[in-house]
Amino acid sequence: MSMKKNMMRLMLAMLLSAIVTISAAAQITTSEIVGVVTDQNGAAVVGATVTVVHEPTGSKSSSVTNDDGRYNLPGLRVGGPYTITVTAPGFKQQESQNVTTSVGNTSNINFALSVAEANAVVTVTSDTTFSEERTGASTSISNDVINTLPTTGRRINDFAKLSPFYGGGPFGGSIAGQDNRMNNITVDGSYFNNSFGLSGQPGERTNVSPISLEAIQEFQVNVAPYDVRQGNFVGAGINTVTKSGTNTYHGSAYYDFRNETFGGTKTGNLLFNRGQLDYKLWGFTIGGPLPYLRF
């Protein structure tokens, strides 16, 4: 009987160890909004209610300020826009609109309330480019950037070049002077590396993207984060978040092609036969709310 108990304890310890290891290696797929609520004299407002609404879906999150007037809203969906509303007894209501967040980063939005009996709406703007909550060298590439910048290969490396630590390399993807196989690529928190160790990402040697850019909402290139939630890489952690649905139906279509006329026939004084090339890529996306089905 004693031997069975020891075996059970050993199995339970191994299970807990595995859970802790997996949790420690998990990557970030959400964003965060923090800030301080004060009165017009700069004193902390305790017990103020801060509500954030994700406008595309209508989902809400709320927090209450502590003794220092600070609030914290973690685990938010990447992107936005968000509307933040602050209410407190005896103060005017304040509202900050069109707030956008990025994956793995913290947006710092502060409020200064004025005393009044009636509610009023005041638009608060904040520059979150330089945030005191940043956790190391990182570059965030939003969906607007993905849709705006030109790309020939429609691969992650075409946009990872926006990181000042990107160094290229024979197969691309070398960041901070490390081999591209030292990078850790995740999609919605799941590992998406090349299992055979031949290149930095799946499909690298055939110039094929393992995931369509149309499915990506945002991704972040982390080089040296001092954040316990990030890890398992030496070069860079490329953290990718895919798109999610909204309360409105929307979609897109794309078409990409190449043939031999896109290439030359001469290098210096050397002529070569460029051969035949016929490459075509097309696709579409559609998203929206799921219909309510009643059985």
Side-chain angles (χ1 to χ4, degrees):
M1 194 69 179
S2 176
M3 185 175 181
K4 289 184 178 180
K5 288 184 178 181
N6 292 334
M7 288 294 296
M8 290 294 293
R9 291 173 180 173
L10 178 61
M11 294 176 63
L12 181 59
M14 293 175 62
L15 178 61
L16 291 176
S17 176
I19 293 175
V20 171
T21 302
I22 294 173
S23 300
Q27 303 301 306
I28 302 173
T29 60
T30 58
S31 59
E32 184 178 20
I33 296 178
V34 301
V36 179
V37 179
T38 60
D39 59 19
Q40 54 192 2
N41 298 320
V45 177
V46 182
T49 301
V50 183
T51 304
V52 59
V53 179
H54 185 252
E55 295 298 338
T57 60
S59 59
K60 296 182 179 180
S61 298
S62 61
S63 176
V64 178
T65 56
N66 60 14
D67 293 339
D68 297 323
R70 295 185 176 275
Y71 71 91
N72 182 25
L73 292 164
L76 300 177
R77 296 175 60 166
V78 174
Y82 285 96
T83 298
I84 307 174
T85 304
V86 181
T87 58
F91 292 92
K92 292 181 181 180
Q93 174 180 298
Q94 283 198 9
E95 186 176 281
S96 180
Q97 300 177 344
N98 297 322
V99 176
T100 58
T101 63
S102 57
V103 57
N105 284 334
T106 300
S107 299
N108 192 11
I109 309 294
N110 299 327
F111 293 88
L113 305 182
S114 56
V115 179
E117 295 181 359
N119 289 337
V121 177
V122 179
T123 300
V124 180
T125 59
S126 174
D127 183 5
T128 60
T129 303
F130 299 97
S131 172
E132 62 185 17
E133 307 295 338
R134 283 192 179 276
T135 57
S138 65
T139 301
S140 296
I141 295 92
S142 65
N143 187 255
D144 291 336
V145 175
I146 295 174
N147 292 333
T148 302
L149 291 183
T151 170
T152 56
R154 296 180 59 82
R155 296 182 300 157
I156 293 177
N157 283 343
D158 294 339
F159 298 94
K161 296 176 182 178
L162 295 175
S163 171
F165 296 94
Y166 186 89
F171 297 104
S174 174
I175 300 176
Q178 300 294 329
D179 190 285
N180 59 0
R181 289 172 294 182
M182 299 297 180
N183 299 333
N184 182 33
I185 301 175
T186 60
V187 177
D188 291 336
S190 300
Y191 294 139
F192 214 66
N193 300 315
N194 192 316
S195 302
F196 296 98
L198 299 177
S199 57
Q201 62 174 303
E204 182 74 35
R205 289 180 173 266
T206 56
N207 293 325
V208 176
S209 177
I211 180 172
S212 174
L213 288 179
E214 298 294 326
I216 296 177
Q217 172 67 31
E218 183 176 325
F219 64 89
Q220 180 188 47
V221 181
N222 294 293
V223 178
Y226 36 93
D227 190 334
V228 296
R229 298 173 296 176
Q230 305 262 18
N232 199 36
F233 61 87
V234 176
I238 303 178
N239 192 11
T240 307
V241 176
T242 58
K243 295 179 180 178
S244 56
T246 64
N247 287 340
T248 59
Y249 290 100
H250 59 276
S252 64
Y254 59 93
Y255 177 70
D256 184 25
F257 73 96
R258 289 199 304 269
N259 55 40
E260 63 277 3
T261 62
F262 282 70
T265 59
K266 187 177 181 181
T267 300
N269 296 324
L270 299 178
L271 297 176
F272 62 90
N273 182 10
R274 59 190 176 187
Q276 298 292 321
L277 174 64
D278 186 15
Y279 172 82
K280 297 178 181 179
L281 174 67
W282 62 272
F284 67 93
T285 66
I286 185 171
L290 293 176
Y292 176 71
L293 301 178
R294 186 172 182 178
F295 298 97

